[in-house]
Amino acid sequence: MRLTLFLYQVAMLVLVNAQQDCFMHPTFREPTNADIEVSCGTQQMAMKMLLCPVYYCGYNESLMSLNGEHDKEYCKGVADWTVDPPVLRFNFSITEEEISVCSNKLTVTEEMGNGVFSDFSSLQYINISGQIKSQDPIVGTVAYREEMMYMFSCRYPLQYLVSNSTDMSVAGASLSMNEESGSFSSTLRMALFSDNAYSSVLRIPQGGLKLKTRIFVQVAASNLSNRFNVVLDRCYASTTFFSVDSITHDLFVGCNKDGQTIIAINGMDQNARFSFEAFRFVQQRTSATFYLHCSTRLCERSSCPALVENCSPSTAFRRRRSEGGGGGWSTRVSDAATVSSGPITTRMDTGEEDEDDEDFTQQSKKKVMLGVVIAAGILVTIFLSLVAFITCVVCNSERCFSKAVLYRLE
């Protein structure tokens, strides 16, 4: 009982000191729904709530936490007294680990594609939600303070979420799939190659690739059960890494593809492959840089044919799944993730060779010269051998003729 009273007195002391900053402030009043502001960023979610209503109700910043996780410091907010009005800030990254550490909820829904996503047969949305709740400083059977609770949520179309965790020139994304025995996580990687065997990693010269250079792309999954394949819903290029606010160009969306794009494998294996020719956006004059993005899902082998559209000429250009025909998909198809490449630079062909081309030309010239020298040496050797042989034959003939003349004279 004494410990409880002591904690109550400490809390009241802090409350009184902070109330001095809030007492005459207009926001020192009862809380309202407009007291919280939620920012749904591409990398983080951030909540900002007025602090003076918290003190008005008899609480302080140490007694407010995400989803009632009062024992975890990470789940508590940070008071900001430097702004007017004072606020209490919460934020966490949009990763599965950080979403769950404070018991926030994550749900995935599947809807028919519409609007800017009308080219998709189906589209996944992710909803992240939670609460900011108060903790009464007095633990007992009854309470004399009203509980404070603010609810928040953010809804994202998964095709808009682009990972920025780059590894050299390749970006990765993680997907999860639920199985009867639990769940597993698979890591996707995008790699660029210069040959149709997908064995030679694409090397981009300092000056950039020549336009119409064919680029071979592979999106592969690691740590993946044999039950699942990789399927690409859409692949596109953008002028910036974050494609939301940049100009984009679709390489393919379902059956609708760019004329220079060739799809080799999609939904048939644990890697998907396609190729396209290097290009530039029209507003980029001399050199151009673009980034490649692919909206990717994992599908159970038996469900993959329903996701990979029938693109044969005898069928309709696009085939959509009916509203009522999606039963059971959520257990056999993962949520989508976007995996991206690093910068791909192209250049205009001005007739000037870059350093790499010049080095290659010089090496080629050296090899040709070496071949000519070797060939000339061989020809000289053969010529000298023939001269020596003919000389020897002539000399031997003259000796034989001399001996015959001497014999007759005798």
Side-chain angles (χ1 to χ4, degrees):
M1 185 63 181
R2 290 182 179 179
L3 178 60
T4 302
L5 289 175
F6 174 74
L7 292 176
Y8 174 74
Q9 290 173 353
V10 170
M12 290 302 296
L13 180 61
V14 174
L15 180 63
V16 169
N17 290 335
Q19 277 182 333
Q20 294 178 359
D21 295 326
C22 280
F23 184 70
M24 299 301 295
H25 200 279
T27 59
F28 188 70
R29 51 161 172 75
E30 291 185 354
T32 66
N33 290 334
D35 291 346
I36 185 170
E37 180 180 326
V38 182
S39 175
C40 302
T42 57
Q43 303 300 316
Q44 283 192 332
M45 280 182 59
M47 285 70 67
K48 179 175 64 175
M49 54 180 288
L50 297 179
L51 191 52
C52 289
V54 174
Y55 281 91
Y56 181 88
C57 293
Y59 299 99
N60 60 53
E61 60 269 22
S62 66
L63 299 174
M64 305 296 294
S65 64
L66 293 172
N67 302 298
E69 297 287 350
H70 303 293
D71 296 331
K72 299 178 181 179
E73 285 298 321
Y74 179 80
C75 302
K76 295 183 180 295
V78 177
D80 187 354
W81 297 96
T82 64
V83 296
D84 185 20
V87 295
L88 182 61
R89 302 181 187 275
F90 296 84
N91 65 78
F92 56 87
S93 298
I94 307 175
T95 63
E96 187 175 357
E97 181 181 0
E98 293 210 17
I99 289 172
S100 61
V101 70
C102 293
S103 302
N104 294 302
K105 294 182 179 180
L106 186 151
T107 56
V108 178
T109 59
E110 185 170 352
E111 303 176 11
M112 293 293 294
N114 55 60
V116 294
F117 294 113
S118 58
D119 286 329
F120 288 91
S121 295
S122 61
L123 182 68
Q124 286 76 33
Y125 284 88
I126 181 172
N127 188 76
I128 304 170
S129 60
Q131 302 172 343
I132 299 175
K133 300 175 68 175
S134 63
Q135 179 187 27
D136 199 305
I138 304 249
V139 180
T141 307
V142 297
Y144 295 95
R145 291 179 177 83
E146 291 185 3
E147 182 182 30
M148 294 188 69
M149 181 185 300
Y150 293 93
M151 303 182 71
F152 61 87
S153 67
C154 283
R155 184 170 180 262
Y156 296 94
L158 281 164
Q159 274 73 8
Y160 271 176
L161 295 181
V162 181
S163 172
N164 71 342
S165 56
T166 56
D167 178 13
M168 297 299 287
S169 62
V170 178
S174 293
L175 289 177
S176 61
M177 174 73 75
N178 292 325
E179 293 190 83
E180 295 177 359
S181 59
S183 63
F184 71 90
S185 177
S186 177
T187 299
L188 294 172
R189 291 289 176 185
M190 177 183 288
L192 307 179
F193 298 90
S194 59
D195 63 324
N196 58 8
Y198 294 85
S199 57
S200 300
V201 176
L202 179 67
R203 180 172 175 266
I204 300 177
Q206 185 175 359
L209 295 171
K210 290 183 178 180
L211 294 177
K212 298 188 71 63
T213 298
R214 184 152 290 275
I215 300 173
F216 297 86
V217 184
Q218 175 177 277
V219 177
S222 60
N223 189 34
L224 185 60
S225 167
N226 291 330
R227 290 178 52 193
F228 302 100
N229 289 343
V230 172
V231 59
L232 304 179
D233 285 335
R234 175 196 182 199
C235 288
Y236 61 100
S238 65
T239 53
T240 63
F241 188 81
F242 296 97
S243 61
V244 178
D245 298 323
S246 68
I247 300 173
T248 62
H249 171 67
D250 284 329
L251 297 176
F252 68 87
V253 182
C255 295
N256 186 6
K257 64 179 182 177
D258 177 87
Q260 308 304 321
T261 300
I262 300 174
I263 301 175
I265 300 175
N266 190 20
M268 301 170 59
D269 204 338
Q270 295 190 349
N271 60 68
R273 293 174 172 179
F274 68 96
S275 64
F276 66 99
E277 291 185 352
F279 59 88
R280 67 175 181 87
F281 287 90
V282 292
Q283 76 273 20
Q284 297 172 325
R285 300 298 182 186
T286 54
S287 64
T289 298
F290 62 88
Y291 299 81
L292 188 62
H293 315 283
C294 284
S295 177
T296 311
R297 283 187 282 180
L298 305 180
C299 59
E300 193 177 35
R301 289 182 182 272
S302 61
S303 302
C304 292
L307 289 176
V308 181
E309 301 189 72
N310 188 346
C311 298
S312 62
S314 61
T315 60
F317 188 68
R318 284 198 58 83
R319 183 185 59 186
R320 291 185 177 274
R321 179 172 58 94
S322 62
E323 289 282 355
W329 276 37
S330 60
T331 60
R332 294 179 293 165
V333 182
S334 78
D335 53 313
T338 303
V339 62
S340 305
S341 74
I344 301 173
T345 304
T346 59
R347 62 181 172 84
M348 296 291 288
D349 190 2
T350 59
E352 297 179 359
E353 295 183 332
D354 58 23
E355 293 182 2
D356 292 327
D357 291 339
E358 187 176 350
D359 290 342
F360 178 79
T361 302
Q362 292 295 333
Q363 291 177 3
S364 299
K365 289 181 179 179
K366 289 180 180 178
K367 290 180 179 179
V368 171
M369 291 180 63
L370 180 60
V372 170
V373 170
I374 294 175
I378 294 173
L379 290 174
V380 170
T381 302
I382 294 173
F383 176 76
L384 294 176
S385 299
L386 287 173
V387 170
F389 176 76
I390 293 172
T391 302
C392 181
V393 170
V394 170
C395 289
N396 289 335
S397 299
E398 290 179 351
R399 288 176 184 174
C400 292
F401 179 75
S402 300
K403 288 182 179 180
V405 171
L406 291 175
Y407 177 75
R408 289 178 179 178
L409 293 174
E410 291 177 355

